[in-house]
Amino acid sequence: EQLIREVEIIPLEVVVRNVAAGSLATRIGVDEGTPLPRSIVEFYYKSDKLGDPMVSEEHITAFGWANPQELDDIMSLALRINDFLSGLFLGVGIRLVDFKCEFGRLWENETMRIVLAEISPDCSRLWDIETQNKLDKDRFRRDMGGLVEAYQEVARRLGIMNENEPPRPTGPVLVASSDAPK
Ligand code: UDP
C-alpha cells in the first residue's frame, strides 16, 4: 500500500557513495571496495538517449534543471538520507556502499519544497559487512546467481519479511488519502 504525492521531478539521478564501486571505481581507477575519504554526491542528467551522462553543479544551474538553493537542499537531503540508511543497514550487518535517488518539487498552496521522490534497495549496493558478499542487483548484472536469496536476506534482516510469510490474499488496494492512517 502506498500513498502517492505528485511532484515535479528534477531530471537528475543523485548518487551517494561511501565505498568505491561500479562506475566510480572504473572512472578513477581504484579497487572496488576502497572506502572513500568522505561520502561523495554525484549528479547524472536523466536522459536514456544520452545514457544518463554525469554532470556538475555548473551544468545543473546553467541549464536550469535546479537552482542553487534547490541544489543545496538536494545535497543536504541526500547526505541525511545516506546517514540514516547507513545506520539502518549497519544495524543489520550490511554496508551501504552507494545508492541512487531522485528528488522533486512538492507544491503545497504557494509554497514549494524539495522532497525525496524515488529511492529503492534496487538502486543500491548493499554488501554484507563480515563477508563482503553482495546482496544487491550486481548479483544479476554480474551473473553471480542468488539474486532472490540475497534480496530475501536483506528483507529478513530488516524484519520486513518473515521466514514463512504466507502469500498475500489480495493485490494492492487503492485508498483515498483521507482514509489513510494518521
Ligand atoms: N544506479 C541506478 N540506476 C542507474 C544508475 C545507477 O540505480 O541508472 C545505482 C546503482 O545501482 C548503484 C549506484 O547507483 O547503486 C551507483 O551506480 P554506478 O554509477 O556505479 O553505475 P553502475 O556501474 O552500477 O551502472
Side-chain angles (χ1 to χ4, degrees):
E1 197 173 282
Q2 283 186 323
L3 281 178
I4 307 293
R5 303 290 303 269
E6 188 176 7
V7 297
E8 199 179 292
I9 198 78
I10 292 169
L12 295 173
E13 300 206 333
V14 180
V15 170
V16 185
R17 302 178 182 276
N18 301 303
V19 175
S23 73
L24 177 74
T26 313
R27 191 178 332 112
I28 61 170
V30 291
D31 288 340
E32 214 175 48
T34 310
L36 299 174
R38 62 172 170 79
S39 302
I40 293 175
V41 181
E42 295 173 348
F43 302 102
Y44 297 83
Y45 178 50
K46 270 172 76 71
S47 162
D48 286 341
K49 199 174 69 186
L50 301 175
D52 299 342
M54 193 180 187
V55 290
S56 73
E57 299 185 31
E58 280 287 282
H59 299 112
I60 295 166
T61 52
F63 289 106
W65 299 321
N67 68 34
Q69 177 59 55
E70 290 172 336
L71 207 43
D72 276 358
D73 291 352
I74 289 172
M75 279 287 269
S76 62
L77 276 171
L79 290 170
R80 275 177 60 199
I81 292 162
N82 183 48
D83 282 349
F84 178 85
L85 288 181
S86 293
L88 180 83
F89 283 117
L90 203 57
V92 294
I94 293 173
R95 169 97 50 228
L96 178 61
V97 170
D98 56 38
F99 65 94
K100 186 270 293 186
C101 54
E102 297 180 24
F103 294 87
R105 299 183 186 93
L106 180 64
W107 290 91
E108 286 164 319
N109 303 320
E110 292 307 295
T111 59
M112 183 279 290
R113 64 195 164 98
I114 299 290
V115 295
L116 179 65
E118 198 208 74
I119 192 164
S120 152
D122 204 37
C123 300
S124 309
R125 285 198 168 90
L126 303 169
W127 294 357
D128 181 84
I129 285 181
E130 301 262 297
T131 63
Q132 308 296 315
N133 268 349
K134 297 183 196 308
L135 301 172
D136 56 56
K137 70 177 172 190
D138 276 345
R139 300 205 72 88
F140 167 75
R141 299 204 295 183
R142 301 181 187 187
D143 256 337
M144 301 167 75
L147 179 73
V148 172
E149 291 77 6
Y151 275 39
Q152 285 175 344
E153 175 66 19
V154 174
R156 245 192 311 272
R157 289 199 203 177
L158 289 172
I160 55 177
M161 192 184 110
N162 298 323
E163 210 59 52
N164 297 308
E165 189 167 318
R168 304 259 163 107
T170 60
V173 178
L174 184 64
V175 291
S177 59
S178 58
D179 300 337
K182 295 287 182 294

